[in-house]
């Protein structure tokens, strides 16, 4: 059997050699033409090992391929820009001023467009258009502040919790204590204890809001802390701070971005909730919570329901935009999606 296979191999080799000889004769090419030395180009050799890969540029390219996310990003940027530009535009009214007619009566519950009021007036004659944009500024300030505090505290505590084994027991017990206290109860309690206002809402939301981010970061750190490159860094004596910044956190950019994007509408929603139950922002501070609470009381009057629809529409745009943008950017920040 072995002699048969060897004979078949020899026959196949002879056949291939004869075929190559026939092809060379048919093409009338000499050995010099068939075989020649390739020229060496030093600059071309250097270019072969060059890569212009950039993590953030690749992330942005992947993000801008998502047309839906780009659309909502444009909507969100336009909304934020107009929110801060609106008071500087000519003809804008003060959100707290009560307007009176020529007969001295309060211009209450004017419909949109009446007497120059774009969104009409409320029951005490205040301009709803100005109050909506002022309330949006207040709610966005609360949302961004809470999201930044949660990110800083959550990332710091989560990294220490997950990477430093000696602190695991301490942070676990601390988490168990704070996590068993409902955030709604904390909001209500501090709203009663402290003076109602922006500072009170921010403090109450930040007091326990970082727990979710910290536990999420801790779980991610535990997954990757003992990988080979981290063990090699520790064996080489690399400082813990550098390992965290260079080895661990870059893998968490996508999830951190997504959590922050979701924290902003969540904080705004909590502000709306505590104002809705009557213990949130004072009535002299416009916010989306105050506007929605005012509109809720008028839902039984069909002609006045517009006072609820306008602030709810703004809140819906903010919530949907941040959700879609956050998820799209989280997917784009994943290095697996960086295909050139």
């Amino acid at each position: 059997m072995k002699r048969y296979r060897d004979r078949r191999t020899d026959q196949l080799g002879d056949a291939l050699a004869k075929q190559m000889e026939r092809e060379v004769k048919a093409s009338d090419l000499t050995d010099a033409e068939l075989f020649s030395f390739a020229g060496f180009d030093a600059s071309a050799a250097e270019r072969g090992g060059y890569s212009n890969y950039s993590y953030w540029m690749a992330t942005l390219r992947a993000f801008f391929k998502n047309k839906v996310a780009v659309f909502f990003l444009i909507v969100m940027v336009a909304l934020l820009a107009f929110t801060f530009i609106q008071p500087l535009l000519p003809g804008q009214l003060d959100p707290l001023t009560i307007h009176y007619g020529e007969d001295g009566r309060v211009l209450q519950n004017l419909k949109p467009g009446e007497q120059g009021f774009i969104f009409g007036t409320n029951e005490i004659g205040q301009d709803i258009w100005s109050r909506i944009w002022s309330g949006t500024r207040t709610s966005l300030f609360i949302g961004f502040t809470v999201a930044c505090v949660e990110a800083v505290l959550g990332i710091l505590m989560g990294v220490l919790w997950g990477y430093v084994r000696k602190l695991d027991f301490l942070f676990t017990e601390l988490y168990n204590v704070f996590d068993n206290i409902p955030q709604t109860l904390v909001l209500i309690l501090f709203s009663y204890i402290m003076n109602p206002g922006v500072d009170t809402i921010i403090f109450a939301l930040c007091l326990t809001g970082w727990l979710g981010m910290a536990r999420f970061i801790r779980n991610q750190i535990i997954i990757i802390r003992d990988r080979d490159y981290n063990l090699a860094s520790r064996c080489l004596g690399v400082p813990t701070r550098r390992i965290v910044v260079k080895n661990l956190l870059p893998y968490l950019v996508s999830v951190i971005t997504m959590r922050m994007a979701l924290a902003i509408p969540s904080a705004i929603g909590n502000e709306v909730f505590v104002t809705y139950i009557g213990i949130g922002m004072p009535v002299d501070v416009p916010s989306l919570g105050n506007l929605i609470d005012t509109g809720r009381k008028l839902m039984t009057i069909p002609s006045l329901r517009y006072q609820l629809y306008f602030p709810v529409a703004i809140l819906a745009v903010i919530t949907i935009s941040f959700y879609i943008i956050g998820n799209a950017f989280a997917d784009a920040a994943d290095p697996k999606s960086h295909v050139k």
Side-chain angles (χ1 to χ4, degrees), residues 128 132 276 288-300 304-315:
I128 296 179
I132 283 179
Y276 179 82
L288 291 179
N290 271 333
L291 293 168
I292 291 174
D293 183 55
T294 301
R296 173 188 62 86
K297 299 174 183 177
L298 302 174
M299 276 299 293
T300 56
L304 300 179
R305 289 176 181 172
Y306 64 88
Q307 297 189 27
L308 176 65
Y309 295 155
F310 292 136
V312 167
I314 296 294
L315 180 61

Side-chain angles (χ1 to χ4, degrees), residues 163-317:
Y163 191 76
V164 182
R165 290 176 172 83
K166 294 180 180 180
L167 297 177
D168 183 70
F169 176 78
L170 174 63
F171 278 105
T172 300
E173 296 302 318
L174 186 66
Y175 175 83
N176 291 333
V177 171
F178 279 97
D179 189 57
N180 287 323
I181 304 174
Q183 189 179 45
T184 303
L185 183 61
V186 174
L187 280 171
I188 295 174
L189 181 63
F190 277 92
S191 297
Y192 276 119
I193 295 175
M194 303 173 66
N195 293 326
V198 176
D199 296 339
T200 301
I201 297 293
I202 292 175
F203 178 78
L205 289 175
C206 294
L207 191 62
T208 58
W210 59 272
L211 291 172
M213 173 76 82
R215 181 175 182 180
F216 188 80
I217 296 298
R218 178 251 186 187
N219 293 338
Q220 298 297 318
I221 292 292
I222 288 177
I223 293 174
I224 63 176
R225 71 181 179 187
D226 292 327
R227 290 184 177 176
D228 293 342
Y229 54 88
N230 290 321
L231 293 176
S233 297
R234 288 201 292 270
C235 291
L236 292 172
V238 178
T240 301
R241 176 183 57 81
R242 184 173 178 83
I243 293 176
V244 170
V245 174
K246 296 294 185 180
N247 292 9
L248 302 178
L249 288 183
Y251 278 88
L252 306 177
V253 170
S254 60
V255 294
I256 290 173
T257 303
M258 183 178 65
R259 299 281 298 194
M260 285 190 64
L262 297 180
I264 295 172
S266 175
I268 296 175
N270 285 324
E271 181 269 322
V272 171
F273 168 73
V274 293
T275 306
Y276 179 82
I277 62 178
I279 57 174
M281 304 291 291
V283 294
D284 60 338
V285 179
S287 69
L288 291 179
N290 271 333
L291 293 168
I292 291 174
D293 183 55
T294 301
R296 173 188 62 86
K297 299 174 183 177
L298 302 174
M299 276 299 293
T300 56
I301 306 175
S303 61
L304 300 179
R305 289 176 181 172
Y306 64 88
Q307 297 189 27
L308 176 65
Y309 295 155
F310 292 136
V312 167
I314 296 294
L315 180 61
V317 169

